[in-house]
Amino acid sequence: MNGPGVGEGCVAAWEVAEYDLEGTLEGGQAFGWERLGDGWEGVVAGRWVWVGRDGARVEARTALPVGDWDWIEGYLGVREDLAGMLATFPDDEPLRQAMASCRGLRLLRQDAWEALACFLCSATKQVVQIREMVRLMRERHGKEVPGPAGRVVRAFPTAERLASLDEGALRACKLGFRAPNLLMAARAVAEGRLELGELRRLPLDEARARLMGLRGVGRKVADCVLLFGLGFERAFPVDVWVRKALARLYFPRARRLTARRIERFSETHFGPHAGLAQQYLFHHARTRLGRAWGRGGARGEE
DNA sequence: ATCCAGGACCACT
DNA sequence: AGTGGTCATGGA
């Protein structure tokens, strides 16, 4: 291990059979983790935290004393039975490939507002560009959080804070045409017209419909928020990579694949942990298969 | 230079 | 229900 000094902070570690920290923290489901030493630093539940490895264990360090570790255990999912979830996947070749190439990949349980804001900004952007937008919003508008050794970092800005800005301030964070959408979403949440926490108790379809009532939130962004921020494990976001993966791996002979057909397949084929399966397909496609596929692979031509 | 990126929306069919 | 244009911005 080679992390930051703990100072007056605390250290905790968990025995975890398989956990791919890099694929999970940098793989396009969260956008705020930065490399530090042999691990990553970020802000979770309003606390600075460093996450890395200690041999076979996943380790977390805080800058300040903490009374419990539930907030980061839940975020990382270090107590969850990954093998048990993978065992619920359908036994098919595409998933066998994806599981073999992404061993230890997991789903994070993120803050719902942060997930909504980040994925609202994700439209037609690469992961590195989303990270840059998020970094700018954090640096310019995020609340200060005490870091290690006297450093100060910033949390992702609250809905209340973003709702107080004007469109220009968000465009200055490189949001482009997404700026007015994020501003309206921030206002809806800040004014209590949309209570994200309440959505957890709704059926998937109803929670999705509520999210899609926001301008700029379509099916894909809604499913990201449901899966990464609200704990709906069957939500299955279909972006360009997942569409390519499904087309190439499951429908190699289809000449055309409508969104409706993809949707029905994803809802029925993958089981209770469909969202996790989606993340395996996404990561596998983006990191291993992307270059070989070249352009236009969504239609399954050979 | 051209295409494309963890899309959504609108106007037409 | 399915297509095409448009919206910013920057990677590859």
Side-chain angles (χ1 to χ4, degrees):
Chain A
M1 69 182 151
N2 181 15
V6 285
E8 54 182 333
C10 296
V11 182
W14 298 266
E15 296 287 344
V16 186
E18 291 188 278
Y19 204 127
D20 174 8
L21 282 174
E22 179 176 0
T24 302
L25 298 177
E26 293 189 353
Q29 49 177 318
F31 306 98
W33 291 96
E34 307 275 356
R35 284 182 180 273
L36 177 63
D38 292 342
W40 291 262
E41 67 172 338
V43 175
V44 174
R47 300 176 176 93
W48 179 91
V49 62
W50 178 88
V51 175
R53 286 213 159 276
D54 174 15
R57 292 145 48 109
V58 169
E59 184 179 285
R61 305 180 181 205
T62 59
L64 299 178
V66 292
D68 70 82
W69 296 92
D70 296 348
W71 51 282
I72 188 68
E73 280 185 8
Y75 179 94
L76 293 173
V78 284
R79 298 271 192 217
E80 291 173 20
D81 175 18
L82 178 62
M85 292 190 263
L86 298 182
T88 70
F89 287 2
D91 183 23
D92 61 38
E93 186 54 29
L95 279 175
R96 277 196 293 274
Q97 275 181 34
M99 284 190 284
S101 80
C102 311
R103 295 191 71 83
L105 181 65
R106 296 186 178 238
L107 287 178
L108 300 170
R109 293 183 174 276
Q110 303 177 56
D111 174 74
W113 160 247
E114 185 169 341
L116 171 58
C118 291
F119 283 98
L120 244 177
C121 295
S122 71
T124 25
K125 280 292 181 189
Q126 297 176 351
V127 172
V128 288
Q129 298 173 296
I130 303 167
R131 293 173 59 85
E132 174 67 2
M133 293 187 281
V134 168
R135 190 182 64 77
L136 288 170
M137 286 191 280
R138 213 172 50 225
E139 284 185 357
R140 297 180 183 184
H141 307 294
K143 182 183 163 197
E144 293 189 346
V145 170
R151 279 174 58 215
V152 172
V153 298
R154 289 174 183 275
F156 187 82
T158 63
E160 290 73 16
R161 169 65 177 170
L162 291 188
S164 75
L165 302 176
D166 63 9
E167 190 180 316
L170 290 176
R171 284 184 183 266
C173 298
K174 304 187 179 179
L175 295 205
F177 63 83
R178 305 156 193 84
N181 295 339
L182 180 57
L183 189 54
M184 282 191 285
R187 287 174 178 159
V189 171
E191 295 167 8
R193 282 179 284 118
L194 178 63
E195 299 202 47
L196 292 172
E198 303 297 313
L199 300 185
R200 295 175 190 275
R201 293 203 290 278
L202 270 44
L204 174 62
D205 292 344
E206 293 179 29
R208 179 186 288 131
R210 291 294 311 280
L211 290 169
M212 290 177 67
L214 296 168
R215 176 163 282 275
V217 179
R219 170 74 181 232
K220 190 269 170 181
V221 170
D223 277 6
C224 286
V225 179
L226 293 166
L227 178 62
F228 301 132
L230 290 169
F232 285 89
E233 303 194 44
R234 301 188 83 110
F236 194 98
V238 178
D239 75 314
V240 292
W241 288 106
V242 173
R243 182 174 297 109
K244 273 193 265 193
L246 294 178
R248 293 293 294 255
L249 301 175
Y250 288 96
F251 301 95
R253 297 162 49 77
R255 197 167 49 78
R256 282 175 62 247
L257 266 184
T258 66
R260 181 66 189 133
R261 187 164 173 204
I262 294 270
E263 184 182 312
R264 274 189 288 108
F265 178 72
S266 68
E267 285 173 347
T268 55
H269 182 70
F270 294 101
H273 296 283
L276 183 63
Q278 174 276 155
Q279 197 61 20
Y280 274 77
L281 293 170
F282 171 76
H283 198 253
H284 182 50
R286 200 168 75 94
T287 62
R288 308 285 196 273
L289 304 178
R291 206 175 309 140
W293 283 351
R295 56 249 169 282
R299 265 154 222 90
E301 83 290 350
E302 199 58 25

